[in-house]
Amino acid sequence: MQNIQDKRVTDKIKFVQDTLYVINGKWKLPIIIAVYYGNSRFTDLKKCIPNITSRVLSKELKELEANKLIKRSLNSDFPHIIKYTLNDYSFTLDPIIKAMANWGEQHRKKISEE
Amino acid sequence: MQNIQDKRVTDKIKFVQDTLYVINGKWKLPIIIAVYYGNSRFTDLKKCIPNITSRVLSKELKELEANKLIKRSLNSDFPHIIKYTLNDYSFTLDPIIKAMANWGEQHRKKISEE
């Protein structure tokens, strides 16, 4: 391989790994999707995401908050209730979520036809 | 939430989780990218992907082969040399890889500007 191609490959790998690092694991994108569709409370999120435990949901929400993808605030009408909403920056993940949802849907069809 | 929206959310989460299940971890997409750019030998792949160990590369290649994303064959000119190529099905992952590479690149810029 020539050097120019080497750099193109390693750059692409590096950028994809950066993304994987932020959205790592199997829960962060599902949580973002659930919040996106209006689930703002912990109990709603837990109901919405199959098999997630409270401990894991709590840990993942903290990591998403630290990465500025999820905003944690108090409900203005019911100040004892915590609500989760998306930060503007989360919406930049939309092309990834769409591409993954499409692929997963096609993949499930393919597997069921085999 | 209404039931119709519930189903839309859980379907989307389910499809994204199917995809995450296939491309799980931090190595599978980088390996696919490296093979895509013409690295067909184990030693080339290892050089191309930062910090991957031989043991992990070997394990990940076996999983990708089992999922029919990577093809393992013998080089026709040098039959003692094993080469890795992409299956047609791997190319369907292209929109995901592109979206992730774009996001990672923008994210790195954003972080460096902060």
Side-chain angles (χ1 to χ4, degrees), chain B residues 36-50:
Chain B
Y36 174 85
Y37 279 102
N39 298 281
S40 61
R41 294 178 60 173
F42 191 91
T43 44
D44 293 335
L45 290 169
K46 194 160 179 302
K47 261 184 240 162
C48 199
I49 301 163

Side-chain angles (χ1 to χ4, degrees), chain A residues 1 5 8-10 12-20 22-23 25-27 29-30 33-34 37 39 48-50 68-69 89 92-101 103-108 110 114, chain B residues 1 5 8-10 12-20 22-23 25-27 29-30 33-34 37 39 48-50 68-69 89 92-101 103-108 110 114:
Chain A
M1 286 212 298
Q5 190 169 21
R8 196 166 48 156
V9 184
T10 51
K12 199 158 186 180
I13 288 175
K14 194 177 66 183
F15 295 141
V16 167
Q17 283 186 321
D18 283 355
T19 304
L20 287 167
V22 175
I23 61 166
K26 57 180 181 174
W27 302 114
L29 292 181
I33 294 167
Y37 279 101
N39 299 281
C48 199
I49 301 163
K68 294 179 186 159
L69 291 168
Y89 193 50
T92 61
L93 288 169
D94 202 42
I96 295 173
I97 292 171
K98 278 210 181 99
M100 281 195 177
W103 195 87
E105 190 170 5
Q106 296 308 316
H107 184 65
R108 194 171 275 238
K110 183 178 176 282
E114 272 172 3
Chain B
M1 286 213 297
Q5 191 169 21
R8 197 168 45 158
V9 184
T10 49
K12 200 161 184 177
I13 289 176
K14 193 177 66 180
F15 294 143
V16 167
Q17 283 186 320
D18 283 355
T19 303
L20 287 168
V22 176
I23 61 165
K26 58 180 180 173
W27 300 115
L29 291 182
I33 294 167
Y37 279 102
N39 298 281
C48 199
I49 301 163
K68 294 181 187 161
L69 291 168
Y89 194 50
T92 61
L93 288 169
D94 202 42
I96 296 174
I97 292 172
K98 278 209 180 99
M100 282 197 175
W103 195 87
E105 189 170 7
Q106 296 307 315
H107 184 65
R108 192 170 274 238
K110 184 177 176 284
E114 274 175 1

Side-chain angles (χ1 to χ4, degrees), chain B residues 18-72:
Chain B
D18 283 355
T19 303
L20 287 168
Y21 182 79
V22 176
I23 61 165
N24 78 83
K26 58 180 180 173
W27 300 115
K28 292 201 174 58
L29 291 182
I31 292 169
I32 287 171
I33 294 167
V35 176
Y36 174 85
Y37 279 102
N39 298 281
S40 61
R41 294 178 60 173
F42 191 91
T43 44
D44 293 335
L45 290 169
K46 194 160 179 302
K47 261 184 240 162
C48 199
I49 301 163
N51 303 322
I52 198 163
T53 62
S54 296
R55 196 183 63 82
V56 170
L57 178 55
S58 174
K59 177 180 151 289
E60 296 284 330
L61 281 167
K62 280 199 187 92
E63 284 180 27
L64 285 165
E65 210 191 329
N67 274 317
K68 294 181 187 161
L69 291 168
I70 291 272
K71 198 160 49 184
R72 184 180 182 276

